[in-house]
Amino acid sequence: MSSKTGLLEVIALTAADAERAQEGGADRLELVSDMASDGLSPSVGTLREVLTATDLPVRVMVRDNMSFAAGDLDGLRADAVRLLDAGAREFVFGFLDLDSEIDVDACETLVKELDGLPWTFHRAIDRARDPLRAYDQLAALGCDTVLAAGHPHGVAHGLSVLQRLARREDGPQLLVGGGLRAQQVHLLRAGGVRAFHVGSAVRPGGWESDVDVAAVREWAALVK
């Protein structure tokens, strides 16, 4: 993928979502469960169904609660192993400690299980004490992507932080998502952002409905 080509990642909850996202032109999926909790680890069964339904890259969430604390780290590590055994080859996770700093120990624990596989640090960075310093830590941890809105309340509030992150010439790729709106894409692309993440934006019927193929197609055209 050239530096000027955009990437569209779509949140999938089911195999039907995966099929519809691929039909609409998505480049990658983020597989989660329970969006009422802002996205938790999917079941092994769902992962297998999704991997059968699509040949897109699938980034699989490892998260057991709706906070950004690691919680049961042994349980998370066991989840990662189960998902690996079921075929997952790309992952999503991210943890903060009590001081709102990157929980390096928790991240390293999962990184060891992944043995070099690619992973995204998710929107926990938006709650970090200093997102710019956190980005440097994440580069050192080896993640290849950081999903950020620039602010806990979404992209509309985080544009200045996103623009600063996008200007960095090294480190993980910036993937922008979290209340992302179509009218923000042009400004973000002009600032150097090339990767975009959508969930509710491609579900006009809400989270209880499947991904909408036409909506994905519109976003794919917009970001590329």
Side-chain angles (χ1 to χ4, degrees):
M1 180 174 297
S2 75
S3 62
K4 294 187 179 299
T5 301
L7 179 146
L8 179 65
E9 180 179 89
V10 173
I11 296 174
L13 299 171
T14 64
D17 282 346
E19 291 172 348
R20 295 170 74 83
Q22 180 162 354
E23 183 180 347
D27 299 294
R28 189 169 72 200
L29 305 176
E30 180 192 74
L31 179 61
V32 306
S33 68
D34 193 3
M35 284 307 299
S37 298
D38 293 329
L40 304 181
S41 302
S43 70
V44 164
T46 298
L47 171 61
R48 287 178 173 146
E49 290 171 358
V50 165
L51 293 177
T52 299
T54 182
D55 53 13
L56 290 178
V58 180
R59 296 229 162 175
V60 184
M61 182 67 74
V62 181
R63 188 176 184 222
D64 66 359
N65 68 84
M66 67 185 301
S67 80
F68 293 100
D72 179 7
L73 190 52
D74 287 338
L76 289 168
R77 185 166 56 186
D79 283 347
V81 171
R82 280 193 292 270
L83 293 165
L84 273 165
D85 289 345
R89 291 298 176 264
E90 303 185 30
F91 290 84
V92 184
F93 54 87
F95 309 109
L96 301 179
D97 63 21
L98 294 176
D99 296 318
S100 296
E101 303 283 358
I102 302 296
D103 189 336
V104 173
D105 290 342
C107 291
E108 285 183 338
T109 295
L110 291 190
V111 167
K112 288 176 183 175
E113 297 295 343
L114 304 192
D115 194 24
L117 293 174
W119 60 282
T120 298
F121 187 95
H122 63 52
R123 286 194 57 204
I125 193 173
D126 293 331
R127 275 80 171 173
R129 186 185 299 272
D130 181 345
L132 296 171
R133 185 174 76 243
Y135 208 80
D136 289 332
Q137 290 178 286
L138 294 172
L141 279 167
C143 76
D144 71 346
T145 304
V146 173
L147 170 60
H151 191 279
H153 294 151
V155 171
H157 299 272
L159 288 171
S160 63
V161 171
L162 293 172
Q163 288 168 337
R164 291 173 70 187
L165 291 175
R167 286 197 293 268
R168 300 171 78 95
E169 295 183 357
D170 54 8
Q173 180 178 46
L174 176 62
L175 174 67
V176 172
L180 178 65
R181 297 178 181 175
Q183 58 264 37
Q184 295 162 334
V185 170
H186 178 73
L187 177 63
L188 289 162
R189 280 185 57 84
V193 177
R194 293 291 176 264
F196 300 88
H197 169 96
V198 292
S200 58
V202 293
R203 281 182 173 81
W207 286 107
E208 297 304 313
S209 65
D210 291 336
V211 163
D212 182 81
V213 174
V216 176
R217 193 169 287 129
E218 290 174 3
W219 273 91
L222 184 64
V223 307
K224 297 172 188 182

